[in-house]
Amino acid sequence: MSSSAETNDAPRDVVVLAGGVGAARFLRGVVRAVDPSEVTVIVNTGDDRVFYGAHVSPDLDIVTYTLADRIDPQRGFGLKGDRFELVDRLASLGHDGWFRLGDADYANCVHRTLRLAEGIGLDVITDELRRDMDLGLRILPMSNDPCPTFIRLSDGRRLHFEEYLVREGAPTNVEATDLSAAMKAAPAPNVLEVIESAKTILVSPSNPIVSIGPILAVPGIREALDASRAPIVGVSPIIGGAPVKGPAETLLRAEGVEVSALGVAGFYRDWIDGFVFDEQDEKLMPAIEGLGLQAVALDTLMLSAEISENVARAALSVAGRIK
Ligand code: GDP
Ligand code: CA
C-alpha cells in the first residue's frame, strides 16, 4: 500500500524539525532507519520569498528534492539537470539575476504561487509537490502564514534572509536575527497535533538560529514540544567548532551562543532531552552530559547515505534511552 495515499492528518511516530541542507542530509538517513510512512517533517519557512513573481520555499524544496533524489548536488539546492533560460532571459531584460532559480524549479514555485492565489494553504500545496515526487513521508511547513526572517546588520540595513545569504554573501557584521514575523504566525494545520502524538522528536543538524529558531518562534510550537511526552533529540550542525557550511558561525555569535557542539546543546537544553554530536568533539561529552542531556558522539559528517543512516540510528537510540 503506497503511503502517499494516506491522509495528511494520520498520526506518525517520528517528527523531525528541519531547515534545508543539513536537515535533508539527516532525513536521508531517517527514512532508511524508519519506514517513511512513520515520519513527519516540520520545515522552516522563514526563508520563503517571492522571486520573479514565484513563491520560493527554499527549505521545503531542498528537503523534497533531496529525498526524491532530484537535488542538484553541486549547488545543494534546485533540481539536477535543470536549465536556466528563464532567469537568464529575465536578467537580460534588466531583472536582478542573483537568485538562480532553474526552469523546472521555477515551474514548481509557479504551481505554488497559483495554488496560493486560489486560496489553497501552503501545507496542502507542499503535500501536492511531495506526492508528485512519490515521497512516502509527510512534509509540513511550520506555518501557512508568511514568516520572513530578517537579518539586521551593523550598518543599519535590515535584509531578508535570502538577500543576506545569497545576494550579499553572508557578511559577518550581523547585529541580530529578526524572527518577528514567525512570532506572529499560526502553526500550519496538523503541526501541533503531530508534535502532541509523536513518539520521538528529532532536531536536524540545521542552523539553530535561522532554521530551527523560526520553527520554535511560531506561537504554540514551543509549548507543544514542552508538553509532549516524546523524547526530543538534537543533532549538532557544528563539527570541530565550525559549521559544515553556511552562516551559522556569524549568526550564533550574534546571539551570544558559543560556536561549538556544546554551545548548541546549551542553546537547546531547555527543550531537548538528548544530543548527538561529532566524534571530533568527544572531549565535550562530560560538559554536554553535565547539561542533563543523554548524548552520543559519532561521525556526523554525512557524506553518504550510510553515514546519514548511522546518525539517524544514533539519534533514535539516544531517544530510546530517555524515559
Ligand atoms: P539551509 O537552510 O540549507 O542552510 O540548511 P540547514 O539549516 O538545514 O543546514 C545548515 C547547517 O547544516 C549548517 O549549520 C551546517 O553546519 C549543517 N550541516 C550540513 N551538512 C552537515 C553534515 O553532514 N553533518 C552535520 N552534523 N551538519 C551538517
Ligand atoms: Ca534555509
Side-chain angles (χ1 to χ4, degrees):
M1 179 68 229
S2 159
S3 49
S4 61
E6 283 178 25
T7 59
N8 212 24
D9 54 4
R12 309 291 177 91
D13 284 352
V14 179
V15 169
V16 186
L17 307 187
V21 173
R25 283 181 157 191
F26 177 62
L27 284 161
R28 225 161 44 125
V30 172
V31 296
R32 289 165 65 102
V34 182
D35 189 306
S37 70
E38 293 298 321
V39 179
T40 300
V41 191
I42 298 172
V43 181
N44 169 46
T45 56
D47 303 357
D48 288 26
R49 187 182 182 276
V50 172
F51 289 98
Y52 323 115
H55 182 114
V56 181
S57 296
D59 288 354
L60 284 169
D61 287 343
I62 287 169
V63 165
T64 306
Y65 297 171
T66 300
L67 293 171
D69 201 19
R70 293 188 58 187
I71 197 86
D72 178 340
Q74 267 80 48
R75 299 193 301 155
F77 64 92
L79 290 161
K80 73 183 151 194
D82 214 348
R83 294 149 61 100
F84 296 89
E85 296 193 12
L86 215 135
V87 279
D88 286 343
R89 182 75 192 116
L90 287 168
S92 68
L93 288 168
H95 296 272
D96 279 339
W98 57 267
F99 199 82
R100 300 281 298 163
L101 197 57
D103 296 348
D105 197 5
Y106 187 84
N108 288 334
C109 296
V110 170
H111 169 75
R112 181 181 291 123
T113 312
L114 294 172
R115 296 288 282 155
L116 285 169
E118 289 168 21
I120 307 298
L122 183 61
D123 62 320
V124 173
I125 303 163
T126 299
D127 202 55
E128 290 170 354
L129 292 165
R130 187 274 297 179
R131 285 167 192 255
D132 174 73
M133 299 216 178
D134 283 328
L135 298 180
L137 83 175
R138 172 167 50 172
I139 303 173
L140 293 175
M142 66 187 196
S143 176
N144 280 358
D145 302 330
C147 315
T149 295
F150 287 92
I151 304 294
R152 282 201 289 110
L153 301 180
S154 62
D155 59 15
R157 287 187 298 165
R158 181 175 175 268
L159 303 177
H160 183 281
F161 180 70
E162 293 298 332
E163 294 170 352
Y164 166 76
L165 182 72
V166 183
R167 191 187 68 201
E168 307 287 322
T172 55
N173 61 325
V174 171
E175 234 151 44
T177 296
D178 176 353
L179 302 177
S180 55
M183 289 162 71
K184 291 192 238 29
N190 298 311
V191 163
L192 299 183
E193 290 80 356
V194 299
I195 292 172
E196 198 174 312
S197 61
K199 296 211 173 76
T200 307
I201 298 172
L202 304 177
V203 186
S204 302
S206 289
N207 187 311
I209 307 296
V210 290
S211 293
I212 303 303
I215 301 175
L216 295 175
V218 175
I221 293 187
R222 174 62 204 272
E223 291 78 359
L225 291 168
D226 287 345
S228 164
R229 293 205 311 273
I232 306 179
V233 178
V235 183
S236 179
I238 305 297
I239 301 180
V244 177
K245 190 170 172 264
E249 183 165 352
T250 296
L251 299 175
L252 283 167
R253 203 164 273 148
E255 300 300 326
V257 182
E258 182 187 285
V259 185
S260 71
L262 176 60
V264 176
F267 186 58
Y268 289 166
R269 70 178 290 191
D270 288 346
W271 57 279
I272 66 172
D273 309 297
F275 200 64
V276 173
F277 62 103
D278 200 85
E279 61 196 8
Q280 277 184 48
D281 301 312
E282 180 93 57
K283 62 184 181 306
L284 299 173
M285 183 63 87
I288 289 172
E289 286 179 336
L291 296 171
L293 302 173
Q294 292 282 337
V296 70
L298 78 162
D299 178 13
T300 65
L301 186 59
M302 295 178 281
L303 298 175
S304 69
E306 289 71 26
I307 301 173
S308 296
E309 182 176 347
N310 291 341
V311 176
R313 287 192 187 281
L316 291 164
S317 91
V318 168
R321 273 159 40 191
I322 296 158
K323 276 285 138 290

